[in-house]
Amino acid sequence: MSCAACALGIERSVSRIEGVESVSVSLAGSSMTVSFVPPATEQAIFAAVTSLGYSVYPYGETHDVTPESARLLRRFLFSLGFLLPLMWFSMGGMIGLPQPPLALSLSLQFVLSAAILVVGRRFFTSGVRALVHRVPNMDTLVSLASAASFLYSVVLSVLYFAGGAAPHHVFFESAAMVPTLVTLGKFLEEKGKHRTGREIERLIKMLPTDVSVLRDGREVVLPAEEVRVGDLVLLRQGDRVPVDGVVTEGTAFVDTSAISGESMPVEVRAGDTVISGGVLSAGYLTIRAEKVGAETTFSRVLEMVRDASSSKAPVQRVADRIAGVFVPVVTGISLLTFLLWLLLSHDLDAAFRYGIGVLVISCPCALGLATPVAVMAAAGKGASLGVLYKNAESIEVLSKAQVLLLDKTATLTEGKPEVRAFYNLSELPDERVLALARAAEIRSSHPLATTIVSYCGEGDLSPDSYEYLTGRGGVAVIEGTRYYVGNASLLPFEPDRSVEEREKGGTTVYFADEARVLALFVLADRPKRGARETMALLAASGYREVMLTGDNARVAASVAADLGIDEVRAETLPEDKATVAKEYKDQGFVTVMTGDGINDSPALKCADVGIAMGQGTDVAIDAADVVLRSGEITALADALLLARKAFRVIKGNLFWAFFYNVVAIPIAAGAFASFGVSLTPTISAAAMSLSSLFVVTNALRINRYRRVSVASDCAAVCPIPNAAEQDALSVQNEKTNDLPAAGCGEEKEQDMCFHKDPVIVLTVEGMMCEHCKARVEKALSAVSGVRKVTVDLAAKTATVRGTASADALIAAGTDAGYTATSSQA
C-alpha cells in the first residue's frame, strides 16, 4: 500500500463481500482486521485484496520476502542510472553541455524514459487496477501524470519525424522524473515508518528462538514453538524467559522492564511465578512451563500492542473521508487547470505543464499517514514503558483527559495493609482475644481480614457460622457467642470512638461481642513509592485529581492530604464509583478512572478511559482501555503525558497534511504564475515526496519521550542533591519529562543506587554471541560517567545508566566494531 486511498480502496472492496461485518486497514501497520460471517470466507477476502494488486497473508505468518525498503531502493537506483543521462540530453543544453542532433536526442530520451517507466511499472499496474475497481489511489495519480507526459512527448516526436516543426519542449524528463522521485520519497518514508515501529519490532525480537529443556533427565535445545505445558525450562544468566511458569529450582534476579517497565530486577526463587519476556540478570532457574506460545503474558502484551498500533483514532475519520474522494477531485482539478490554461493562454506546453503539476504535487499519503504512524510510535513507546494502550481511541481520549479518578487501595497505596496497633480493651489475655478474632475472620476473603488473621497467628478455633455484610464487616458465631468484626456501623451498640479519632490515617477494625468492644485493630496501608511526587506532577500538568475509596472519611482525608490530593470521595461502593465517573462526564469533563479491583470495574467502564493496574484482577484489566503492567503509579503519568505528546504530533501532522495540499495545489496549477511563482512537474514530484516524509519524521519525536521518574523515600540511603545540583536537575528534567530523584528506596550501598541516573538505550547491530555481548559491555563500561550497563543480545540493545552522553556511548560501540544508534543522540 502506498497511500490512504490504497487502504480505503481495500476496505471498500472487502466490505462489498456478503457476510463481511467490518473491515479496518492500517496503512502504517500494513495490516487488515476483518470481522465476517458466512457466506464470506477467508479465501474470498484474500481474493478481493489480491485483485487490487496487493499481496496478503494471515497475520503472524512469516514469509521470506524482500523488505519493501530494499525493493524501493533497488528501483530508485536503477531509475537513477537511466535518469542521469536522460537529464543530460533533455536539459544539458541549458548549461552548455554538448548535445547530439535533435532527432538522436529525441530517440535517446524516448528509450531512457521508457526504461524508467518499465522499472517503475508497479505504479502503472497498481494505479490501473485501482482505477478499474473504482478505488483510485496515489499510484493512479503518478501513473496518469507520467503516462500523459510520456505520450504527449511521443506524439510531438512522431510529428517531428513525420516532417513537422521541431517541438518547443518535450516532457520525457518529467515522465521519468516523477516515478523516480516518488520512489525515492517512498523509500525514505518506509525507513521512517520502520523507525516509528522500532519499539514494536524490538518487542518481537525479544523472545528466544531456541529454549533449553529437560527431557528424560537430559538437557536438550528445542525451537521455542515446541515447548509444551509441563516442560522444565532451564535458564542461565543472560537468558530471556520464554514461557510463563513456576520456579522449581534456583534463585535469580529477573529484569522484567520489557513487560512491566519496572527498572529494578526482581529476585525470584523456588515457588515464585515468572512471566515471559523477563531476562535473568544474575542466577540460575529451572521453570515448569504453565503457559506457552500465544498464551504467555508476553505474547498477549505483544498482541495488545499490535492491535493498538493498527487501530484507528476518531480524528482519523476526517482524513479518511477526504482521502476517499481525494484522487477523483484532484484529477478533476488537473483537467480543469489544463483546459483553463489552454483557453486563456493558447499555450499547449504551459497548459500541459500545469495540469501535470497538479496531478503530481497532490499528496494523499500525508493525510493517510498523519495518524497511523503516530499511533504506532506511541503504542510501541508505551509498551517499552510498561503502558499498554488497547486501541488508538484510548490514546486520543486520554490526551484530552481533565479529571483523574483514582482508586486508593493498590492504586495509590501498596494494597498490603499492616496492623499498626492492637488494643486489648477486655480483661481477657491477649492470646485469647487474638484467637477469637482469628476465628471470626478466618472465613472472610476481605484483604483486611487476611491481614488480621496473619497478625493473630496460628490457632485451632473455628466459627460455627459466618455472615459477611457488604461495606460493614462480618458476624461470626463462636462457641455459641456472636462476635462482630468490622467498622463501627456493624456493631449492635454505639462504641467509644476516641481511639479511632486518635489513630489518624489508619483504618480501625472493631472486634466486639453483643455487649462490648473486646479489641481494636488499627491497620494502615503505605502509599506507593513516588505516589506523592506523581500526584504533584499531574496536578502541575493541569489534571484535576479525585481519590475514591471505600474507607471512612477520616482515613481517606488523611491519605489524600499525605498525597496532596484535594478532592476525596470516601465510603464509596462499586456502584458509587461509577456514579462519580458519570457525574463528572455529565459536567463535560473528559474523565479517566484508574483502579485495580473487581469493585473498580463499573467505574472503569463508565469513565471515558479506564486504566487498570497490571497487578489487578483480570476483570479490571478486561474492563480497562489502558493497562499499566508494572502497577507503579508513576506509569500513570507516563500513560497520560505520552498520550498528550502523541496527540500533539497527530494534530501537527494533520495540520501539515491539510495545509500542504491547500497551498501546493493552487501553486502547481499556476494560480500565482503572474507573480513569477510556478512549479515544474519535477519540483512538484519532489514536494509531494517531502510532504509525506515530513509526517513520518515528525512522528519519530514520540520515540524521544523519556520515562517519568520521581523522588523516593530513602534520603538516608541515597544523598539528596544540594541546591546547585537540584537546579541543574530541574533544568534537565524539564527537557526530559523527569522529576529529580532523591534516592532509590532500596537499602543498598550508595554506589548501587541507579534510580536518579539518566538512562540511555542504544540499539547495537552486529552482536552475534555472548563474546560480542561481553565486548560491548566492556566498551560501554569504560566510558566516563557510566555506572551500569545491561546488554540484551536477543533484542540487540544496551541500556546504560549514568551521566555519559549518547554520542560518547555510540562512539565506544563503534570503536568496538559494532553499529550503535540512539534516538537520544
Side-chain angles (χ1 to χ4, degrees):
M1 296 183 293
S2 60
C3 67
C6 297
L8 289 171
I10 294 174
E11 288 182 355
R12 288 175 180 171
S13 293
V14 173
S15 64
R16 292 170 186 159
I17 300 173
E18 185 180 356
V20 170
E21 296 177 336
S22 66
V23 55
S24 176
V25 177
S26 169
L27 174 63
S30 299
S31 62
M32 173 177 67
T33 304
V34 186
S35 175
F36 63 96
V37 295
T41 63
E42 185 175 298
Q43 291 74 19
I45 292 169
F46 280 21
V49 177
T50 53
S51 69
L52 296 174
Y54 306 101
S55 58
V56 60
Y57 49 86
Y59 196 85
E61 285 189 7
T62 55
H63 285 246
D64 187 18
V65 295
T66 306
E68 182 66 14
S69 58
R71 288 201 296 266
L72 289 167
L73 179 60
R74 187 166 59 245
R75 280 166 50 192
F76 169 71
L77 293 177
F78 274 117
S79 298
L80 187 64
F82 292 113
L83 182 64
L84 292 177
L86 174 60
M87 297 301 291
W88 178 299
F89 296 124
S90 63
M91 305 178 73
M94 299 179 185
I95 56 175
L97 294 176
Q99 296 291 303
L102 181 58
L104 179 58
S105 176
L106 290 175
S107 300
L108 290 172
Q109 289 183 54
F110 169 80
V111 172
L112 292 169
S113 59
I116 292 174
L117 296 187
V118 171
V119 172
R121 61 189 177 278
R122 184 173 174 181
F123 288 115
F124 297 89
T125 56
S126 172
V128 171
R129 277 177 175 163
L131 190 61
V132 169
H133 287 83
R134 295 171 296 154
V135 284
N137 56 21
M138 186 205 74
D139 292 342
T140 307
L141 293 177
V142 173
S143 58
L144 275 176
S146 187
S149 300
F150 182 77
L151 293 175
Y152 177 75
S153 302
V154 168
V155 170
L156 292 182
S157 300
V158 169
L159 291 176
Y160 170 70
F161 283 115
H168 176 66
H169 185 77
V170 290
F171 291 93
F172 283 121
E173 85 286 351
S174 295
M177 182 71 79
V178 167
T180 303
L181 286 181
V182 172
T183 300
L184 174 61
K186 299 305 292 183
F187 165 72
L188 296 174
E189 178 187 311
E190 194 67 29
K191 297 295 285 185
K193 283 162 60 179
H194 176 73
R195 289 183 63 191
T196 62
R198 181 178 294 171
E199 295 290 353
I200 297 176
E201 187 173 305
R202 190 174 294 163
L203 280 176
I204 295 172
K205 291 179 179 178
M206 280 183 177
L207 285 185
T209 55
D210 297 317
V211 181
S212 295
V213 178
L214 275 179
R215 290 276 176 90
D216 300 324
R218 294 185 304 109
E219 180 178 345
V220 295
V221 178
L222 300 176
E225 57 269 18
E226 293 184 14
V227 178
R228 299 289 179 261
V229 173
D231 279 344
L232 293 177
V233 178
L234 304 179
L235 298 173
R236 300 175 177 84
Q237 182 175 351
D239 289 345
R240 192 170 287 278
V241 183
V243 298
D244 292 357
V246 175
V247 178
T248 61
E249 181 185 349
T251 302
F253 284 90
V254 179
D255 179 2
T256 60
S257 58
I259 296 295
S260 66
E262 175 57 52
S263 57
M264 296 299 292
V266 178
E267 185 177 8
V268 296
R269 50 174 56 91
D272 291 341
T273 299
V274 292
I275 60 174
S276 53
V279 61
L280 268 67
S281 54
Y284 169 88
L285 293 177
T286 301
I287 299 173
R288 179 182 294 106
E290 293 188 338
K291 292 182 180 179
V292 299
E295 299 301 317
T296 63
T297 298
F298 188 86
S299 295
R300 286 187 281 116
V301 167
L302 184 58
E303 189 65 24
M304 196 178 296
V305 174
R306 281 170 163 167
D307 288 345
S309 63
S310 62
S311 62
K312 292 187 178 183
V315 71
Q316 190 177 343
R317 294 169 191 155
V318 177
D320 283 349
R321 283 197 295 268
I322 293 174
V325 298
F326 189 89
V327 174
V329 169
V330 166
T331 304
I333 294 174
S334 172
L335 183 59
L336 182 63
T337 300
F338 173 79
L339 293 175
L340 285 175
W341 272 100
L342 188 61
L343 291 173
L344 296 176
S345 68
H346 304 291
D347 185 341
L348 183 59
D349 281 348
F352 193 81
R353 184 172 66 251
Y354 290 129
I356 294 298
V358 170
L359 283 177
V360 174
I361 205 167
S362 307
C363 186
C365 306
L367 278 173
L369 288 169
T371 300
V373 290
V375 169
M376 179 183 287
K381 186 64 180 179
S384 71
L385 299 173
V387 177
L388 302 180
Y389 301 104
K390 289 188 177 180
N391 51 59
E393 184 174 359
S394 63
I395 297 176
E396 179 177 339
V397 179
L398 205 58
S399 71
K400 304 172 184 176
Q402 297 166 296
V403 173
L404 305 181
L405 304 180
L406 302 149
D407 174 52
K408 178 181 77 70
T409 305
T411 299
L412 293 171
T413 64
E414 293 289 352
K416 300 174 182 177
E418 301 171 347
V419 176
R420 191 171 70 186
F422 168 71
Y423 298 92
N424 184 354
L425 305 180
S426 71
E427 70 283 358
L428 299 174
D430 286 355
E431 293 77 8
R432 176 60 178 172
V433 173
L434 291 174
L436 289 170
R438 179 187 182 280
E441 289 280 56
I442 193 67
R443 292 187 183 177
S444 174
S445 59
H446 195 284
L448 296 184
T450 304
T451 301
I452 291 174
V453 169
S454 177
Y455 179 80
C456 292
E458 297 295 327
D460 299 326
L461 202 60
S462 60
D464 301 324
S465 64
Y466 177 80
E467 179 186 8
Y468 178 71
L469 303 176
T470 304
R472 299 170 65 191
V475 180
V477 176
I478 305 171
E479 296 177 343
T481 304
R482 291 175 66 86
Y483 291 95
Y484 302 83
V485 57
N487 57 40
S489 66
L490 175 71
L491 307 185
F493 54 86
E494 181 61 31
D496 178 6
R497 292 176 176 257
S498 58
V499 173
E500 183 176 355
E501 293 169 358
R502 185 172 72 249
E503 290 289 350
K504 182 181 180 182
T507 298
T508 302
V509 176
Y510 292 82
F511 177 55
D513 57 21
E514 293 280 6
R516 57 179 178 159
V517 175
L518 300 177
L520 296 174
F521 296 87
V522 180
L523 294 87
D525 190 7
R526 290 184 300 174
K528 286 186 174 179
R529 186 179 67 86
R532 185 182 301 108
E533 293 79 9
T534 301
M535 292 301 100
L537 172 62
L538 293 176
S541 300
Y543 295 102
R544 181 177 175 181
E545 300 163 346
V546 183
M547 189 180 81
L548 307 179
T549 178
D551 269 342
N552 61 62
R554 179 182 49 77
V555 173
S558 175
V559 174
D562 188 36
L563 297 177
I565 298 175
D566 295 329
E567 296 184 54
V568 182
R569 299 292 183 93
E571 301 178 18
T572 55
L573 298 175
E575 57 268 25
D576 297 330
K577 294 180 180 181
T579 301
V580 172
K582 186 175 185 302
E583 175 186 322
Y584 282 102
K585 285 177 63 177
D586 291 344
Q587 293 176 29
F589 294 106
V590 178
T591 305
V592 176
M593 173 66 192
T594 305
D596 74 306
I598 294 176
N599 61 327
D600 299 318
S601 300
L604 291 172
K605 277 292 188 184
C606 185
D608 292 298
V609 177
I611 300 180
M613 308 304 282
Q615 84 287 3
T617 64
D618 290 341
V619 175
I621 291 174
D622 289 342
D625 305 292
V626 181
V627 179
L628 308 181
R629 288 296 312 171
S630 67
E632 294 296 327
I633 193 62
T634 51
L636 173 62
D638 284 324
L640 291 162
L641 299 180
L642 177 60
R644 185 181 279 186
K645 180 170 186 175
F647 197 65
R648 283 200 303 268
V649 169
I650 289 173
K651 288 193 292 185
N653 280 352
L654 286 174
F655 172 79
W656 167 255
F658 285 117
F659 175 80
Y660 165 80
N661 283 291
V662 167
V663 173
I665 291 176
I667 294 176
F672 302 98
S674 58
F675 300 101
V677 179
S678 61
L679 302 175
T680 65
T682 298
I683 296 175
S684 296
M688 189 272 278
S689 298
L690 290 174
S691 66
S692 55
L693 183 62
F694 170 86
V695 165
V696 174
T697 305
N698 189 42
L700 292 175
R701 295 195 298 122
I702 296 172
N703 285 336
R704 295 203 297 268
Y705 176 87
R706 298 285 300 277
R707 169 185 285 131
V708 170
S709 63
V710 297
S712 61
D713 306 299
C714 71
V717 179
C718 302
I720 298 175
N722 59 36
E725 292 171 331
Q726 285 280 12
D727 290 340
L729 281 170
S730 297
V731 172
Q732 176 189 4
N733 289 324
E734 284 178 7
K735 299 177 182 178
T736 62
N737 311 112
D738 292 344
L739 289 175
C744 70
E746 299 289 334
E747 294 185 5
K748 298 175 183 279
E749 294 181 8
Q750 178 180 331
D751 64 354
M752 291 299 289
C753 172
F754 305 113
H755 272 100
K756 61 176 178 284
D757 289 333
V759 178
I760 294 177
V761 179
L762 302 177
T763 299
V764 184
E765 300 293 345
M767 294 191 296
M768 305 296 293
C769 61
E770 289 296 329
H771 173 74
C772 297
K773 175 182 173 181
R775 188 173 178 180
V776 171
E777 284 182 346
K778 182 178 179 180
L780 297 179
S781 299
V783 178
S784 177
V786 171
R787 286 162 58 82
K788 182 180 180 183
V789 177
T790 303
V791 177
D792 189 327
L793 182 61
K796 309 295 184 187
T797 62
T799 303
V800 183
R801 292 183 179 275
T803 57
S805 68
D807 290 335
L809 296 171
I810 290 172
T814 304
D815 292 342
Y818 304 93
T819 303
T821 57
S822 170
S823 61
Q824 301 164 35

